[in-house]
Amino acid sequence: MPKCNARDDWFFKDDMQGYKVSDWGRKTDCSSEIFFSIYICTVDVKKGFQSLTQYASTKKHKQNAHIKLNIKQLTLTTNTTTTIENNSWIEDTLVEKKHDGIVEVFQTMFPNAIPKGFSMSRSKLTYLITDALGPYFREELIKDIANEYFSIIYDETTNSGGNKELQVLIRYYSTSKCKIITQHLQTMFIGKATADILSEKIVSAVENANLSLTKLLMLGSDGPNVNKVTRLINDQILHCRSKNLINIGTCSIHTIHNAFLKGIDKFGENAEQLIILIYYYFKGWPTRWEEFETILDKLKLPIRRFIKHVPSRWLTLHDSANRVLENWSAVEYYFLKFIPQHKSSVLPTNSYKKITEFLLIITIKCEMIFIQSSAKIFIKYTGTMQKSEPLVHVMYTELHSLLCTLVGRICRTEYIPKSFFNTKVDDLLTVEKMVAVKDIAVNNLIQEEFKEKKMHLRCLEPSERLKSRSCNSILKLSNNLPFDVDDDILLDEWKLLQLDKDEKESDLNRIDIYWKQFFEKKNSTNSLKYPNVTKIVKSCLSLVHGSADVERNFSISGKMLTDERACMNERTLNALLDTKDSLNHYQNKPQLVLITK
């Protein structure tokens, strides 16, 4: 049988699946092969067009074509009416299709602006970025900095290639953009990350950008272990100017991170280890997960896999602990009942022994809840401070709020200092200054563990909100409302609210007017200070306390729907009542109502 080569007219034929061959097929350098973009492979067409239709009729091709060629993928196309006889156009089109349709995209975006014969390949795009776009944007960056003062932010890590990679970023005020900009300055591969090498590379990055060291404000780094780098560069700075680098400390997020890890070492280490053990017990064992999935389904729990916790990245601990708690009843059943009854071969393994050892600790679930609850305090701070916008002006306020939150969980409100500069921890954590154990407010999950159930609305009373018992009351109110509010965040907001003073002009005769002062308060980042408390209090004040309101409305309706007007219809009565109520908002003065077109 004679061998066939791919013909140009094939690409305009129907593939018998509702698509043209050109939608998914392209020529290759080999004349007897066609590239299938649907599942990235080449097909031999020596047997003719039938080879294409056979491949196009496979189940795999149909499924991928439905996904990738669906109109919902918003594929850009051109409205061309050129006929097959125009062989030169066909050839150009087929050559262009070798570059993943980028030329057609450009032609659609910029009609009549793309020259005939224009092509774009991976190597050409790399060349354009390396030799044209990159240098252009770097030059624009250097122009933008001009005579501005700037800070340098740096960090190093081992990349996927096994090299030490140093990233140097620059932070400055951009006059052209009228805001603070943090932008990449230079990346370098280094053999070792000693202080001498780091300082040398950072200085060279500044000099390579034709910037002056005299304009350097500070170095931003992740922790105090790199203080020598700052000293070395500062020594160079002092040779060209009289003032040292500004020192407002290293990354506060890392400092907070280390503090959290210290706390976990004291209480929470067992729960952390259990989280890691459970994750790796199922990782790479599909049969184990299938067994556990069956138990989840039996207990009517959502099918959600465990989340990996990396000890060096503590932010993962919160979500990992939360997932274990979500599956807690299934975890206990699987390891303490199912395996002993059905999987005796697993019992001698070290991983199983360690997991069951932790699960049998009577306080392990409370410990799990505690570390999840504690992580939220720190996540709130790190979530704020990870933004790229300038936040140095709120660092003190945010750190003070964090410390107040931490201390407020165990200390009496009146002993929480307004400033922590001269406060010694030992002086603060004394018996008379700390809350009695029975009065310590904890989130609802822990309360349920200890079977404590109380409910109070009196915490909304101005004189009551400052009392320690109001903390548990607001949590109970929250858990009885038809929406979810995080217990720990709500509790922290309430503790901070207890430190706030009442405004003198507050109308204590109306509780909603009294609480309005707290609804509108904002924090240092200009966001609402007590969003969750606001939601709870507004909802609680909306609860019905009697039927006087509806009786009063009957009286108003009776004055409108009199014997003389007994034929009034519902539409008219509703309109009258609506108008009456609405005029109350305008002090019953119609002239205050805005008349619109």
Side-chain angles (χ1 to χ4, degrees), residues 236-385:
Q236 294 190 51
I237 294 288
L238 292 176
H239 285 297
C240 50
R241 77 179 190 206
S242 59
K243 292 188 177 181
N244 293 305
L245 289 171
I246 298 170
N247 180 15
I248 59 172
T250 54
C251 176
S252 60
I253 296 176
H254 282 77
T255 304
I256 297 299
H257 169 207
N258 293 335
F260 181 81
L261 291 180
K262 288 289 185 181
I264 293 297
D265 288 342
K266 295 297 182 182
F267 183 73
E269 189 175 12
N270 289 335
E272 183 184 28
Q273 290 301 314
L274 177 59
I275 291 169
I276 296 172
L277 285 168
I278 290 176
Y279 173 82
Y280 283 105
Y281 183 85
F282 292 103
K283 180 177 170 57
W285 292 82
T287 53
R288 290 179 179 179
W289 177 253
E290 287 174 7
E291 294 166 353
F292 188 74
E293 200 173 53
T294 302
I295 293 172
L296 288 172
D297 185 59
K298 179 181 178 181
L299 297 177
K300 298 182 179 179
L301 294 172
I303 308 297
R304 294 174 180 169
R305 288 187 176 270
F306 295 102
I307 299 173
K308 183 179 181 180
H309 165 55
V310 183
S312 60
R313 297 200 300 266
W314 67 271
L315 284 170
T316 63
L317 182 57
H318 172 267
D319 292 339
S320 301
N322 189 56
R323 183 56 51 83
V324 173
L325 287 171
E326 288 176 351
N327 295 337
W328 188 259
S329 57
V331 167
E332 287 188 315
Y333 182 86
Y334 180 75
F335 287 104
L336 302 181
K337 293 183 179 180
F338 178 82
I339 290 180
Q341 294 175 4
H342 304 284
K343 295 285 181 178
S344 57
S345 59
V346 177
L347 299 179
T349 63
N350 288 331
S351 59
Y352 176 76
K353 287 180 179 179
K354 289 179 180 178
I355 291 173
T356 52
E357 181 182 337
F358 283 126
L359 287 175
L360 292 174
I361 297 175
I362 193 170
T363 58
I364 190 65
K365 187 177 180 182
C366 286
E367 191 173 326
M368 185 81 67
I369 297 169
F370 174 78
I371 62 172
Q372 179 215 35
S373 167
S374 301
K376 293 174 187 173
I377 306 174
F378 298 88
I379 289 174
K380 181 180 178 182
Y381 177 83
T382 56
T384 297
M385 301 310 294

Side-chain angles (χ1 to χ4, degrees), residues 547-562 573 577 580:
S547 61
D549 291 320
V550 68
E551 294 295 339
R552 194 159 32 248
N553 235 40
F554 276 134
S555 177
I556 295 171
S557 174
K559 293 179 180 179
M560 295 176 177
L561 189 57
T562 60
L573 180 59
L577 292 171
K580 172 66 177 174

